[in-house]
């Protein structure tokens, strides 16, 4: 919706021919782009969370190790925020 609201309108858009029925709405290169963007975002989120665990949970990143820490619930809460 932001792209539609921010882009200037084209005066000749209604004079253009519609796309063929056989042409998909989402093209192959768009699918590849979506998958790559999703993978990169997921990887970055996981890395940030593991780094936060390492910083706030005394270098521990596995649940079994974190559960043995004193006041582990508070440390986990700090790592999550």
């Amino acid at each position: 919706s932001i792209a539609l609201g921010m882009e200037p309108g084209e005066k000749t858009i209604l004079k253009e021919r519609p796309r063929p029925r056989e042409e998909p709405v989402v093209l192959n290169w768009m699918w590849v782009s979506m998958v790559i963007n999703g993978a990169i975002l997921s990887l970055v989120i996981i890395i940030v969370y593991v780094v936060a665990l390492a910083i706030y949970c005394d270098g521990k990143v596995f649940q079994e190790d974190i559960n043995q820490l004193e006041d582990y619930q508070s440390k986990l809460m700090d790592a999550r925020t």
Side-chain angles (χ1 to χ4, degrees), residues 4 13 15 21 28 31 35 38-39 43 46 49-50 58 62 68 78:
L4 291 175
I13 193 74
K15 294 180 181 177
R21 285 183 184 246
N28 287 337
W31 282 112
V35 168
L43 184 64
I46 291 169
Y49 186 63
V50 169
D58 303 331
F62 295 109
Q68 296 174 0
D78 290 340

Side-chain angles (χ1 to χ4, degrees), residues 37-61:
N37 283 332
I40 290 171
L41 285 173
S42 298
L43 184 64
V44 167
I45 290 168
I46 291 169
I47 289 171
V48 167
Y49 186 63
V50 169
V51 168
L53 284 176
I55 291 171
Y56 289 102
C57 295
D58 303 331
K60 311 289 186 202
V61 293

Side-chain angles (χ1 to χ4, degrees), residues 4 7-19:
L4 291 175
E7 291 282 323
E10 294 180 32
K11 294 182 180 187
T12 60
I13 193 74
L14 293 177
K15 294 180 181 177
E16 293 181 16
R17 307 250 331 133
R19 66 173 177 77

